[in-house]
Amino acid sequence: MAVTDYPAWPSPYFAELHRNAPPGLPLGFVSTLDALPEHPAQPGVINLHRLKRLCRDPDGQRTLTAAKALLEQLQALRDGGWRIVWTVHNLLPIDGGAPREADWCAALGVLGIADAVLTHTRSDALHLARLTKAPIVVAGWAGLSVPKSVPPASEPVRALVRRLRDAPFSVLVVGNLVPYKGLPAVVKAFTAHTRRAHLLITGPCRDDALAADLAAVVVTSGGRVHVHPERIPPEHVHRLYQAADAALCPYRVDGSWEVFTRVLYPGSVSTALAFCTPVVAPDLPAIAEMTANSPAWLYPPGEGPGRVLAAAENASRQAGPRARRSPGDGTAGWRLVTATYQRIFEQLIGPNDPFSGPDSDTVTNLPDPRHRISRPLVPPPHKETSSCSIP
């Protein structure tokens, strides 16, 4: 039972998980833990994803009291017969400012309670193995896929596709326009280091200050940077990726975003790879792992993408006319991910000791982390973290 606002909240991740779930995976969705009976009628698994929405007080603020209440509720559910799995996309919230005491305590507490932890990359699993004694399962990664029935694209989407195809070298950024991507600095680096390339940034922006900063730097780009501040329907995203010469996936690593150097599931990278689009991104552990066998230009974290964008533009000019790429459809990755979810479910509700036996290493893709020394994650110095501990 996945705890999420989907389908009321149109999450591409859960839509893909739902669409690609195998028949043997009894996948369901609830928006809160309160919707679950304390004692399930039959063995069941609670699948947690983003924790921040579960540790809020009635006013919507993430507080230590709410985080402790979350952990107490999870423990009661587990004592009642549920099993707990946390799919770690990001260890801590990546928007809304620096992590709070509630965020640290929720993350460390769930790692202490969980029966299993699921990650999408081995690099994330290796870091989390320091923080939990629970088995860690590496599911692999998957981006958006192309639905079997795709409706005609709207004229705005077709216009964006034409813009990408008409550019001498086109670079695409897709997704929410949020501070952790550092987009104003990215635009400055792009305009300073490239000469003929065009950059298309598309996605909704709910931060007025960021929107203003982005608009100000776009004006100085000489018409080579274009912003489309609207959400692209997931069923049409593949059209943009297949038209672009490169997908730019920027992530900051300063301040509270330093956590990306340890745990990160970059959905934009997985989607670019699914559609066979070369990636431009920081050389972070998860990204390096995901792009190891695919075309990519990686830059040192914190340096910015300017130099590798220039190298990519020069390489395209020397290569001559665009080579036709395999279109990709993104479904193969989801078959592996959902099969892993099914295997976790079957092992956790089975009669034997979970994750034991001859298949253990192939399931976890790691040595059994229960035999490792679990060391607490040391948060950045902050007076509020003094009362945070692993249950």
Side-chain angles (χ1 to χ4, degrees), residues 94-105:
I94 58 177
D95 52 10
R100 305 176 185 180
E101 183 180 17
D103 302 319
W104 287 105
C105 289

Side-chain angles (χ1 to χ4, degrees), residues 68-267:
K68 289 181 176 179
L70 166 64
L71 299 179
E72 291 173 359
Q73 186 175 17
L74 286 172
Q75 188 63 62
L77 289 165
R78 189 177 184 280
D79 292 343
W82 290 96
R83 293 295 169 255
I84 310 295
V85 175
W86 183 16
T87 300
V88 181
H89 302 273
N90 296 291
L91 184 62
L92 299 168
I94 58 177
D95 52 10
R100 305 176 185 180
E101 183 180 17
D103 302 319
W104 287 105
C105 289
L108 296 176
V110 170
L111 288 173
I113 294 173
D115 294 280
V117 174
L118 187 148
T119 72
H120 289 287
T121 64
R122 183 179 176 84
S123 58
D124 284 359
L126 288 171
H127 180 76
L128 291 172
R130 301 174 54 223
L131 314 178
T132 182
K133 295 180 181 179
I136 301 176
V137 182
V138 182
W141 56 87
L144 295 179
S145 64
V146 181
K148 292 181 179 179
S149 177
V150 181
S154 65
E155 176 51 35
V157 171
R158 293 198 299 270
L160 295 176
V161 170
R162 289 194 297 270
R163 185 183 292 277
L164 290 167
R165 288 177 174 166
D166 290 345
F169 183 75
S170 58
V171 181
L172 174 67
V173 175
V174 175
N176 293 325
L177 311 187
V178 287
Y180 70 75
K181 295 182 179 180
L183 291 172
V186 166
V187 171
K188 290 180 181 179
F190 176 86
T191 55
H193 288 84
T194 62
R195 296 294 176 264
R196 301 163 56 249
H198 283 240
L199 172 63
L200 172 62
I201 301 173
T202 180
C205 183
R206 300 177 181 86
D207 185 320
D208 293 339
L210 173 60
D213 290 345
L214 190 56
V217 295
V218 167
V219 169
T220 66
S221 71
R224 293 193 298 116
V225 178
H226 319 276
V227 177
H228 179 77
E230 304 291 339
R231 181 176 183 266
I232 302 297
E235 63 269 22
H236 295 308
V237 166
H238 68 282
R239 300 179 187 273
L240 300 184
Y241 278 101
Q242 291 169 356
D245 293 300
L248 175 57
C249 309
Y251 291 88
R252 292 171 59 178
V253 294
D254 58 307
S256 63
W257 295 294
E258 183 273 339
V259 72
F260 289 154
T261 65
R262 292 176 282 171
V263 178
L264 169 68
Y265 178 48

Side-chain angles (χ1 to χ4, degrees), residues 115-119 121-122 125-126 134-140 340 343-344 347 354-370 372:
D115 294 280
V117 174
L118 187 148
T119 72
T121 64
R122 183 179 176 84
L126 288 171
I136 301 176
V137 182
V138 182
T340 302
R343 293 176 75 181
I344 294 173
Q347 288 198 286
F355 301 97
S356 64
D359 292 334
S360 178
D361 285 347
T362 61
V363 172
T364 61
N365 202 22
L366 287 168
D368 188 343
R370 290 176 294 180
R372 295 168 180 250

Side-chain angles (χ1 to χ4, degrees), residues 302-366:
E303 178 180 295
R307 289 194 301 169
V308 295
L309 285 169
E313 181 186 45
N314 290 336
S316 73
R317 186 165 57 247
Q318 295 171 7
R322 287 178 176 139
R324 185 176 179 83
R325 296 197 308 264
S326 170
D329 66 4
T331 57
W334 279 109
R335 285 194 292 269
L336 295 175
V337 170
T338 55
T340 302
Y341 272 97
Q342 181 176 350
R343 293 176 75 181
I344 294 173
F345 173 79
E346 291 172 349
Q347 288 198 286
L348 285 177
I349 66 171
N352 300 317
D353 179 35
F355 301 97
S356 64
D359 292 334
S360 178
D361 285 347
T362 61
V363 172
T364 61
N365 202 22
L366 287 168

Side-chain angles (χ1 to χ4, degrees), residues 32-81:
T32 69
L33 293 174
D34 294 335
L36 298 173
E38 185 169 335
H39 300 277
Q42 55 188 6
V45 175
I46 297 172
N47 183 210
L48 303 172
H49 289 260
R50 292 171 176 84
L51 302 182
K52 69 175 185 177
R53 55 179 294 274
L54 300 178
C55 55
R56 291 175 175 169
D57 64 16
D59 295 328
Q61 299 298 314
R62 303 196 303 276
T63 65
L64 178 60
T65 299
K68 289 181 176 179
L70 166 64
L71 299 179
E72 291 173 359
Q73 186 175 17
L74 286 172
Q75 188 63 62
L77 289 165
R78 189 177 184 280
D79 292 343

